């Protein structure tokens, strides 16, 4: 049993898999964070643009922000 535990501790065959799982989880987490930030900013910008367009007169040619 001691020999099995020593061999198990020395074996690094699954270490690369664990590294890739951690890296993949980090990339997915960053992608979700970036998507959330972009979605929030885009939603705010769309709402502000809609408000400006609703408030503008059809006869005017310049829109001031």
């Amino acid at each position: 049993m001691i020999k099995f535990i020593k061999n198990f501790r020395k074996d690094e065959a699954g270490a690369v898999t664990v590294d890739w799982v951690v890296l993949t989880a980090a990339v997915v987490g960053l992608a979700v964070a970036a998507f959330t930030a972009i979605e929030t900013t885009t939603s705010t910008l769309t709402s502000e643009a809609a408000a400006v367009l609703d408030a503008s007169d059809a006869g005017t040619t310049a829109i001031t922000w």
Side-chain angles (χ1 to χ4, degrees):
M1 184 67 169
I2 298 295
K3 185 177 179 180
F4 173 76
I5 292 173
K6 286 182 180 180
N7 286 338
F8 182 77
R9 188 175 50 164
K10 289 180 184 179
D11 188 18
E12 295 183 5
V16 175
T17 304
V18 173
D19 290 343
W20 276 107
V21 168
V22 171
L23 279 171
T24 304
V27 169
V28 169
L30 288 172
V32 168
F35 176 76
T36 303
I38 291 169
E39 179 193 18
T40 303
T41 305
T42 305
S43 177
T44 303
L45 180 63
T46 304
S47 299
E48 291 176 2
V52 169
L53 290 174
D54 286 342
S56 68
D57 185 16
T60 61
T61 57
I63 297 176
T64 58
W65 299 94

